[in-house]
Amino acid sequence: MHLARAQKATGAEAVETVPPAVDLVLGASACCLACVFTNPLEVVKTRLQLQGELQARGTYPQPYRGFMASVAAVARADGLWGLQKGLAAGLLYQGLMNGVRFYCYSLACQAGLTQQPGGTVVAGAVAGALGAFVGSPAYLIKTQLQAQTVAAMAVGHQHNHQTVLGALETIWRQQGLLGLWQGVGGAVPRVMVGSAAQLATFTSAKAWVQKQQWLPEDSWLVALAGGMISSIAVVVVMTPFDVVSTRLYNQPVDRAGRGQLYGGLTDCMVKIWRQEGPLALYKGLGPAYLRLGPHTILSMLFWDELRKLAGRAQHQGT
């Protein structure tokens, strides 16, 4: 039995099925498409999260202030194309991470695990952890590329990569294969909580919207409404882990590949709390929502609509 999505149809249930392998392709494609639109928000979010690193509030210059001013600052410093910095690495990350994530979640649904109490949350978390591990090298490079800018606007450590392939070569040469997974200890919890919140709340929110019968049952607006509700939960639980993940990925490392600022997830979180204050764990919250919100909405909407088309095509072919 494949991943099924039940739909009410005049007292009966019409079921569309999509195999896990198809969900892999559809999930990766949907998230890559969303990434093209939301990457500028990711650039701004990354700069805000690195600004004032391990410094008390009010003791450092703030070249980035608020969302619109930060967008303008990036455009002035790096040009309009600077708002798409790290796009290639971002697309690679979205394809790898979400392909694995949706595939594993689809397998869990196929096995009936999501029908168990708490199964949706657990399946989403495990699928997210596996996806984050596979996509971690791409996220590492994306973060470092997006942090790079002219000296007057620089925040955080500057790695001075020129291209994605150049970054891969530099990290491999200096730190070895394991260096490509620098920061994975922050990425896995980040995606675990985000994936669990997204997949669990999207499924529940969409079912709730359908139950209210405010919208036509087959309308794309149902998925849009579910994605809007889901995005709020994702941003609230994910932002502290997102800040920590950005810091771990961008920090300088010694010759042995050890971070020079943070020893890991817990050490990073404690240092941010003590030196910058607890609100620093929500740095970049505005751009984070403006990025994660549309990305969640677009990803889940595209995925849901693509699954409808794939399910119908499979049904017609049988």
Side-chain angles (χ1 to χ4, degrees):
M1 173 178 149
H2 293 126
L3 174 60
R5 181 170 54 82
Q7 295 181 306
K8 295 179 184 175
T10 62
E13 285 191 345
V15 179
E16 293 171 5
T17 61
V18 177
V22 175
D23 250 333
L24 183 154
V25 176
L26 298 183
S29 300
C31 293
C32 285
L33 185 57
C35 178
V36 174
F37 296 99
T38 60
N39 190 67
L41 300 169
E42 185 75 8
V43 174
V44 172
K45 182 209 72 173
T46 298
R47 303 278 178 91
L48 285 170
Q49 289 178 342
L50 290 171
Q51 184 168 254
E53 186 170 20
L54 298 183
Q55 299 177 64
R57 188 174 181 178
T59 63
Y60 54 86
Q62 292 183 272
Y64 306 101
R65 292 174 177 269
F67 172 65
M68 293 304 299
S70 296
V71 170
V74 173
R76 284 196 303 268
D78 304 316
L80 286 177
W81 185 243
L83 290 166
Q84 287 289 13
K85 274 194 172 185
L87 178 60
L91 290 171
L92 178 60
Y93 170 73
Q94 293 294 336
L96 289 171
M97 192 275 283
N98 285 296
V100 172
R101 184 168 72 103
F102 280 101
Y103 178 75
C104 293
Y105 186 76
S106 188
L107 285 177
C109 292
Q110 179 183 356
L113 298 178
T114 56
Q115 303 302 314
Q116 305 301 318
T120 303
V121 175
V122 173
V126 173
L130 292 172
F133 183 83
V134 172
S136 187
Y139 198 92
L140 167 69
I141 294 168
K142 178 195 74 70
T143 301
Q144 294 181 358
L145 287 172
Q146 290 176 339
Q148 291 180 187
T149 186
V150 297
M153 300 295 290
V155 290
H157 184 72
Q158 301 290 290
H159 292 269
N160 300 316
H161 300 309
Q162 298 301 314
T163 63
V164 174
L165 290 178
L168 282 169
E169 180 184 359
T170 298
I171 295 170
W172 181 292
R173 186 177 65 252
Q174 294 179 354
Q175 303 171 42
L177 179 63
L178 292 179
L180 293 171
W181 271 267
Q182 170 198 333
V184 71
V188 169
R190 169 186 176 273
V191 179
M192 279 183 72
V193 297
S195 179
Q198 182 188 64
L199 292 171
T201 57
F202 176 74
T203 302
S204 302
K206 188 180 162 200
W208 181 78
V209 172
Q210 287 176 326
K211 186 177 179 181
Q212 304 308 309
Q213 298 183 340
W214 293 331
L215 301 166
E217 198 161 332
D218 285 333
S219 173
W220 60 271
L221 291 171
V222 174
L224 177 63
M228 291 176 68
I229 297 171
S230 176
S231 64
I232 297 172
V234 173
V235 172
V236 169
V237 302
M238 196 174 181
T239 297
F241 294 95
D242 196 42
V243 172
V244 170
S245 186
T246 297
R247 299 286 183 88
L248 292 176
Y249 274 128
N250 195 65
Q251 70 172 327
V253 297
D254 60 22
R255 291 185 178 180
R258 292 187 294 265
Q260 295 183 5
L261 297 178
Y262 312 106
L265 172 70
T266 304
D267 182 56
C268 181
M269 195 167 285
V270 169
K271 284 181 176 177
I272 292 173
W273 183 290
R274 288 178 176 174
Q275 299 185 39
E276 302 176 50
L279 291 180
L281 291 169
Y282 279 91
K283 276 188 174 180
L285 178 63
Y289 177 74
L290 291 174
R291 179 261 169 192
L292 281 172
H295 188 88
T296 299
I297 293 167
L298 291 172
S299 296
M300 302 312 287
L301 175 61
F302 292 151
W303 176 57
D304 196 67
E305 291 300 307
L306 288 171
R307 289 187 72 249
K308 286 181 184 178
L309 293 175
R312 289 167 185 164
Q314 184 184 19
H315 179 72
Q316 291 172 359
T318 56

